[in-house]
Amino acid sequence: MTDSQRQYDLVVWGATGVAGSLVAEYLTNRYTPEELSLALGGRNRDRLDAVEAELVEQADDWDEVPTVIADATEPDTLRAMAEQTRVICTTVGPYTRYGTPLVDACIAAGTDYCDLTGEVNWVREIIDRCHEDAVESKTRIVHSCGFDSVPADIGTLLVQSYAQEEFGAACETVRIYPEQSSGGVSGGTLASFGELFAAVSNDPLAKQTLQNPYSLAPPGERSGVDPGTHPLPRNDRLHSSWTSPSPMAPVNERIVRRSNAVLGYPWGREFRCTERIPTGSGFGGAARATLIAGGLGVFTAAMSIDPVRNGIQRYVFPDPGDGPSEEQIENGYFTVRLLGRGTARDGPFTVEAEFGADRDPGYGATARMLGEAGVCLVRGEVESPLSGGVVTPASGIGLPLADRLRDAGFTATVETATRTE
Ligand SMILES: NC(=O)c1ccc[n+]([C@@H]2O[C@H](COP(=O)([O-])OP(=O)(O)OC[C@H]3O[C@@H](n4cnc5c(N)ncnc54)[C@H](OP(=O)(O)O)[C@@H]3O)[C@@H](O)[C@H]2O)c1
């Protein structure tokens, strides 16, 4: 099917949910119908019409936004949706539960795809099941285009591109530090989190995926020099700060390692990547790192026990569909710092980059990241040697996503680069 036969540029599937409605709101405020032929996707006609009515009310340029009904449990509807559009941005999660039939439909229809998943067990399943078919059909299946894992993945690409251009060598190590953030969390995200823990408790492959730092690399390449997440506080000399483990590290580090692998190891096979939360120097920093590491350990242990996890999901987590307040989204922010260290012919060097936004990371900023990833795919603004496959933001789209996000108000810059002795 040629692109000119498709009715839409982009469908936001899951537009009735918390994240999907924010993506649709962002896109209708940012682009006119002449600039982007957009449709809203969902399973329920009434809910979809209500979202459309709200969008039309608040977006000056849109008199109507077309809608498409598609249900994850009805593959024919997914196939019909995929055939009508060039690109699908999906926020229908948990992806382990609902995601696979849409990936199949997109590959069959040659429709590019991007999502917000942080469910690494599911990403691994999709890699093993769909990568070869996606390569063959030249379809880009781009996972993790939200706060997981655009700042880490595109941030690492920024650092490495700069290092290669300026010093003629890639960094051997890139460390990712989520320095500050403020925002909320939705029931849908917590349901996906619960799904990941349930899979790890009950499915040996999911458990193995979380144990192996290279589990998202191509088959046959699932080993390397990185030892994986260190569960205790650590004094980090590169950042001059104590650090604790980061809850997002299991996703972000694996996505970054996959970027390096599917791009053919431009950063070397010895490339190391670690995400840690910096907590400051001295006694205070050590105490904060200990508290976070301890809290994370207790939470992980609790979520790993089936009845405890079920209780937390039932009585503590908000329901799917509930999300952060408008105030939390508007007043939120985040900054992720990336420090790279490498050795060129003239000696060692460091590169420092910052990735951030003045929106809450998981929703306001994530809506922009996913929306702009979709627009890059629609416009063919892609800097990647790969024309298809199960890929990551850095390997499937690359630096054009950073350009678009800067235009949307993000910071995505290399701050300093120095030769060191
Ligand atoms: N990586 C990140 O930074 C990030 C940030 C935010 C969210 N997320 C992820 O994004 C996903 C969505 O989160 P959310 O908070 O938006 O969740 P949500 O509010 O619960 O929305 C889920 C959406 O999926 C739809 N849906 C459910 N079952 C369906 C089916 N059988 N067929 C078609 N559509 C179906 C729902 O439609 P109805 O309205 O009809 O029920 C709704 O539109 C989660 O997996 C979450 O983890 C990731």
Side-chain angles (χ1 to χ4, degrees), residues 124-141:
R124 164 65 184 271
E125 192 185 312
I126 295 300
I127 290 167
D128 290 353
R129 176 190 158 102
C130 305
H131 180 70
E132 294 308 325
D133 291 344
V135 169
E136 202 166 306
S137 76
K138 293 191 167 39
T139 307
R140 292 188 169 92
I141 304 296

Side-chain angles (χ1 to χ4, degrees), residues 22-328:
L22 289 168
V23 177
E25 185 185 319
Y26 169 68
L27 290 173
T28 49
N29 280 316
R30 179 97 180 134
Y31 298 100
T32 64
E34 292 71 37
E35 291 168 331
L36 185 72
S37 160
L38 176 73
L40 310 174
R43 62 174 164 173
N44 181 292
R45 163 61 55 210
D46 290 346
R47 279 201 287 272
L48 208 48
D49 286 348
V51 170
E52 196 242 351
E54 255 179 61
L55 285 179
V56 167
E57 173 119 6
Q58 54 86 38
D60 294 342
D61 295 318
W62 295 75
D63 295 331
E64 59 168 340
V65 188
T67 52
V68 180
I69 298 292
D71 192 307
T73 59
E74 295 167 19
D76 289 352
T77 63
L78 300 176
R79 180 69 189 257
M81 174 171 69
E83 285 177 351
Q84 286 177 69
T85 183
R86 293 188 174 89
V87 176
I88 294 183
C89 289
T90 168
T91 61
V92 173
Y95 292 89
T96 309
R97 205 179 304 162
Y98 301 123
T100 305
L102 180 67
V103 175
D104 287 342
C106 284
I107 292 172
T111 301
D112 285 339
Y113 160 111
C114 45
D115 70 26
L116 287 184
T117 190
E119 294 159 61
V120 276
N121 57 314
W122 180 69
V123 175
R124 164 65 184 271
E125 192 185 312
I126 295 300
I127 290 167
D128 290 353
R129 176 190 158 102
C130 305
H131 180 70
E132 294 308 325
D133 291 344
V135 169
E136 202 166 306
S137 76
K138 293 191 167 39
T139 307
R140 292 188 169 92
I141 304 296
V142 192
H143 289 306
S144 306
C145 294
F147 189 50
D148 307 280
S149 299
V150 168
D153 198 35
I154 295 290
T156 299
L157 181 64
L158 275 174
V159 167
Q160 293 292 32
S161 303
Y162 192 90
Q164 284 165 318
E165 216 166 275
E166 189 72 7
F167 299 108
C171 296
E172 292 130 24
T173 298
V174 172
R175 295 211 185 131
I176 302 153
Y177 303 98
E179 282 187 339
Q180 35 174 336
S181 70
S182 163
V185 68
S186 71
T189 292
L190 293 170
S192 298
F193 209 55
E195 197 80 18
L196 176 63
F197 276 98
V200 171
S201 297
N202 302 310
D203 171 5
L205 181 62
K207 191 170 180 178
Q208 202 191 351
T209 301
L210 273 179
Q211 281 170 344
N212 178 358
Y214 292 89
S215 53
L216 300 188
E221 300 175 25
R222 290 179 177 154
S223 61
V225 291
D226 254 337
T229 306
H230 184 76
L232 299 176
R234 271 194 154 170
N235 201 350
D236 185 323
R237 283 172 47 204
L238 197 57
H239 195 276
S240 306
S241 163
W242 279 89
T243 61
S244 74
S246 162
M248 285 165 54
V251 187
N252 289 340
E253 292 174 358
R254 283 170 178 76
I255 290 288
V256 173
R257 290 185 198 113
R258 178 162 181 80
S259 295
N260 188 33
V262 291
L263 287 171
Y265 299 97
W267 312 329
R269 287 198 181 248
E270 308 281 292
F271 167 67
R272 285 169 183 265
C273 152
T274 317
E275 177 170 313
R276 306 274 301 173
I277 297 179
T279 55
S281 56
F283 178 77
R288 279 188 290 277
T290 306
L291 266 179
I292 297 175
L296 208 56
V298 170
F299 181 68
T300 304
M303 288 293 287
S304 306
I305 302 166
D306 288 352
V308 179
R309 181 182 60 255
N310 293 339
I312 291 175
Q313 285 193 262
R314 188 146 178 210
Y315 299 111
V316 182
F317 286 177
D319 289 331
D322 289 345
S325 66
E326 224 165 89
E327 209 183 5
Q328 280 174 310

